[in-house]
Amino acid sequence: MRDSAERTGRRRRAAFIAAAALITIYGGLLRFEALVAGYGWMGQPRWSAALEQHLVPVARELRPEVVSWKRVDVPYVGSDPINYLKFAREMRHFYQGHVREPVFLALTRGYLWLTGGLDISVSFASATAGTLAVLATCLLGAAAYSPVVGLAAGLALAIEIQAITYSIEGWRDDTYMLFVALAAWSFVLLLREPRTSTGALAGLLAGGAVLTRITALTFVAPALLWIAATSPRPMRAATLRAVAIAAMVCAAVIAPYLVNCWRETGDPLVAINYHTRYYRSAERLPLDETVTAADYLAEKVRTRPAWALDTATLGLVQVPWSNKWWGFTPWAAWLAPVLQWSAVAGAIVALWSACGRLLLVVLLTSLLPTAITWRLGGGGDWRFTAQAYPFYLVFAASAIAGTIGGARALIRRQWTPSMIRRRDVAGAAGVMAAAAALSIMPIAMPLLVEREALTARDSAMITAGDRDAAFFIGPWSEPLPAEIVTVRVAQSEFVAIRLPLPEPVDYLMTIRMDPPDMPEGGRESFVSVFVNRRMLAKVQLTRQADRMGTYRMRIPRDAARPLSRLDLVASHTVPARQAGPYFAPLPPETPVAFRLWYVRLEVAPGF
């Protein structure tokens, strides 16, 4: 009986390995076709040209016809990949002290050797890492949940068009995604079976992640501490030994790089601190090479705590989740939303399992380095949070598999209400309460952020968007895309806006509004402006090029309240069909008074 079970287990493992290998090859074919289409004109080595003849036709048959890969006419220029090529060619040894960590440079250098020094090497390097990330996702899902979950998550990453497109552009982010997924997989193994071997594997893969992007320390240390702190009492001693081994192996792997950075540049963390100048430049701050990343973040938290909290919350939760998923749409219109919301459900359910909680720890702490900086420059780009995708897809696959399994159990009458445990109900209630509290935060935080800006004597800007509910009062339209911004349309003569005015001082207020078109013989548009029922001005709405529809006025200090109300009273409305092309997105009979671009607030000079 035991031999039979062992044979069954071996067959299942072999079937999983074969299926994971096929899915990885599938993902590699799609990436190779995209690479050749985009960069093949630059010149390929002979072995790549030979593979193209045999593999590209196969890949073309394995993707939707609506997908077409574009040729990149100006490759790598003005971006990090050109620097990766330069640094890889100059690389003296693996552990050189350098502003760029060595793993991706070494991978690129290997392809430079394989291609005879061609620039396309950096695309081969990133595409290889992106392909192996598919396999890592399969392993992660299988270890944390089940082989089916792992294979489904890996297949999703293999076919995601956005992930394929980024993987051939020569960034190191696919390599980082690969090592974060592998490190998380090894942490799950360490959690389940704390042994010397799993500890050493975890340390080695965690070290690989750090040597790809040194900010990986933000998830490596918390994950190991979490495993040690949450281990069951019977396994506590074994877990602590295995975690200690993992920490020592990781330290041994990364120490030579840190020491060489210290010796050659005077800063062991130069790979982090060097890039602070980029963020300061994005904020138009003067160059100061003495400011470290820790100094930069500490200054943000100290001087703008509300801004920092709001930015970090969005950077951890909303930004990395919302800028993904569209790459599934070419395969099926329903696939993206199903996976997207299944990921949310899976992440919530993960709170009830030890492996799920560990994955959440790794996911959130891996996002910490970009949580504050995503607003600066291109910091919110897809690639900076690419490492989150394997986790999202594993959570999505686990939710779908759990739903199917639950439905089957109901059909077979294997599930009854008595199987629900009281602590699970209490936990669900706690999660729902936390979710309700968190849902209020995105609404309230913009008010606090703009209030904080005025307190710091910066300007506050109230604009339309997906987080403007705390500001706009009354019959406004939904946020609408305009020429270069998002606007709201006043759909009545009477609308209002909340103003966060923190102190009883004079403020300068600038409002940009656009009137509807005035038909021949029609009435000119006027808007009366009130703050806390005090009339400030009556303005005639115009589209004069020199004024761009902006109206500037002063709010006296005795009219200012901590939470003030700006009332805008229009002279009249017209149907949207008569209001001109700017109001065309609205239903024809909708009454419209004006479009609002923004309200800008500043503390008046002298205060």
Side-chain angles (χ1 to χ4, degrees):
M1 191 72 175
R2 183 177 177 182
D3 292 343
S4 175
E6 289 179 354
R7 283 195 299 272
T8 301
R10 284 195 297 268
R11 284 196 294 268
R12 288 178 176 174
R13 286 192 292 272
F16 169 77
I17 292 170
L22 287 174
I23 289 171
T24 304
I25 292 169
Y26 180 29
L29 286 174
L30 296 175
R31 284 157 178 77
F32 182 71
E33 184 203 5
L35 189 156
V36 169
Y39 298 90
W41 63 271
M42 296 171 58
Q44 300 177 68
R46 241 181 282 180
W47 56 266
S48 177
L51 288 175
E52 178 184 354
Q53 295 178 2
H54 297 91
L55 298 183
V56 168
V58 176
R60 194 174 293 123
E61 294 297 322
L62 295 176
R63 60 163 172 80
E65 293 183 2
V66 297
V67 174
S68 61
W69 311 114
K70 296 180 180 179
R71 168 177 160 144
V72 181
D73 292 321
V74 187
Y76 314 135
V77 175
S79 60
D80 284 345
I82 197 69
N83 291 323
Y84 296 144
L85 279 168
K86 176 179 180 293
F87 296 151
R89 289 184 171 116
E90 297 171 349
M91 196 174 192
R92 305 186 307 278
H93 58 85
F94 184 79
Y95 280 118
Q96 65 180 8
H98 201 276
V99 297
R100 288 296 186 186
E101 300 87 341
V103 166
F104 186 67
L105 298 185
L107 182 58
T108 303
R109 189 173 178 85
Y111 270 107
L112 284 169
W113 177 75
L114 286 172
T115 64
L118 297 175
D119 284 356
I120 200 173
S121 299
V122 74
S123 287
F124 272 109
S126 62
T128 298
T131 300
L132 292 176
V134 173
L135 177 60
T137 303
C138 292
L139 295 174
L140 177 61
Y145 292 99
S146 71
V148 170
V149 168
L151 295 175
L155 179 60
L157 184 61
I159 66 172
E160 213 274 12
I161 302 301
Q162 194 176 16
I164 295 170
T165 302
Y166 269 100
S167 74
I168 65 170
E169 293 182 355
W171 306 97
R172 65 170 171 170
D173 304 280
D174 290 273
T175 308
Y176 189 58
M177 175 169 59
L178 165 65
F179 273 100
V180 173
L182 287 175
W185 165 65
S186 68
F187 291 157
V188 172
L189 298 182
L190 177 60
L191 178 70
R192 289 186 180 278
E193 300 180 29
R195 300 195 302 260
T196 299
S197 57
T198 54
L201 178 64
L204 182 64
L205 293 175
V210 175
L211 294 180
T212 303
R213 184 176 283 161
I214 199 166
T215 51
L217 289 168
T218 64
F219 82 81
V220 170
L224 292 178
L225 290 173
W226 179 270
I227 293 170
T230 59
S231 62
R233 186 176 298 276
M235 301 170 60
R236 181 68 54 83
T239 299
L240 292 178
R241 281 195 300 270
V243 167
I245 290 170
M248 288 188 291
V249 171
C250 181
V253 169
I254 67 176
Y257 173 67
L258 299 179
V259 170
N260 284 336
C261 285
W262 189 17
R263 291 174 55 193
E264 297 181 32
T265 70
D267 182 3
L269 300 177
V270 65
I272 299 175
N273 296 325
Y274 176 82
H275 301 289
T276 304
R277 64 187 67 184
Y278 166 77
Y279 298 119
R280 289 178 60 84
S281 174
E283 293 187 275
R284 299 181 180 179
L285 297 174
L287 176 64
D288 187 349
E289 297 184 7
T290 65
V291 178
T292 66
D295 295 335
Y296 175 82
L297 294 177
E299 178 69 11
K300 288 295 183 186
V301 173
R302 184 181 66 81
T303 60
R304 295 291 184 84
W307 178 90
L309 177 61
D310 184 56
T311 301
T313 302
L314 295 177
L316 288 174
V317 180
Q318 179 178 318
V319 173
W321 178 78
S322 62
N323 67 9
K324 297 178 175 59
W325 312 104
W326 68 259
F328 293 109
T329 303
W331 297 89
W334 54 267
L335 189 56
V338 167
L339 290 175
Q340 190 174 26
W341 293 105
S342 295
V344 174
I348 294 173
V349 174
L351 292 168
W352 277 266
S353 73
C355 290
R357 289 190 292 270
L358 176 59
L359 294 194
L360 287 171
V361 169
V362 176
L363 168 63
L364 294 175
T365 53
S366 74
L367 294 169
L368 283 175
T370 57
I372 292 290
T373 58
W374 66 267
R375 295 185 191 270
L376 302 176
D381 195 30
W382 183 95
R383 64 188 182 89
F384 286 112
T385 57
Q387 76 275 9
Y389 225 165
F391 296 88
Y392 293 155
L393 296 174
V394 166
F395 289 143
S398 69
I400 294 171
T403 301
I404 294 173
R408 292 175 60 186
L410 279 173
I411 292 172
R412 296 177 179 178
R413 300 182 182 275
Q414 295 177 343
W415 182 90
T416 62
S418 61
M419 297 171 64
I420 300 177
R421 296 176 296 181
R422 183 176 299 176
R423 67 178 184 179
D424 290 341
V425 175
V431 169
M432 292 176 66
L438 287 174
S439 66
I440 299 173
M441 187 174 175
I443 298 174
M445 285 305 297
L447 269 173
L448 298 177
V449 170
E450 299 306 330
R451 182 181 187 278
E452 183 179 77
L454 289 171
T455 303
R457 297 304 189 261
D458 286 342
S459 62
M461 186 75 77
I462 298 171
T463 58
D466 58 357
R467 303 182 66 217
D468 64 5
F471 296 107
F472 288 86
I473 307 169
W476 293 93
S477 72
E478 292 299 311
L480 300 173
E483 296 85 287
I484 56 174
V485 295
T486 301
V487 301
R488 277 189 184 256
V489 175
Q491 298 181 161
S492 169
E493 292 91 343
F494 304 97
V495 291
I497 297 173
R498 291 187 181 92
L499 303 180
L501 306 179
E503 302 173 75
V505 299
D506 287 6
Y507 295 90
L508 298 179
M509 179 170 64
T510 305
I511 308 175
R512 177 164 182 178
M513 296 177 284
D514 289 337
D517 285 352
M518 184 174 65
E520 186 175 351
R523 299 164 56 191
E524 293 182 336
S525 296
F526 292 87
V527 172
S528 297
V529 181
F530 298 81
V531 170
N532 296 325
R533 299 188 178 183
R534 176 178 295 192
M535 186 171 182
L536 301 184
K538 182 177 182 179
V539 298
Q540 180 181 351
L541 301 187
T542 64
R543 284 206 185 96
Q544 298 174 14
D546 59 337
R547 296 187 62 191
M548 298 182 65
T550 57
Y551 310 92
R552 193 170 173 86
M553 58 204 72
R554 193 180 192 96
I555 303 175
R557 72 190 75 180
D558 57 350
R561 304 286 184 274
L563 190 59
S564 296
R565 178 182 172 112
L566 168 66
D567 286 290
L568 301 172
V569 182
S571 57
H572 64 281
T573 62
V574 299
R577 57 183 167 76
Q578 298 178 6
Y582 293 131
F583 298 85
L586 296 171
E589 299 305 318
T590 303
V592 299
F594 57 86
R595 292 194 312 171
L596 182 96
W597 286 50
Y598 59 79
V599 176
R600 179 185 173 92
L601 296 167
E602 304 166 89
V603 174
F607 289 93

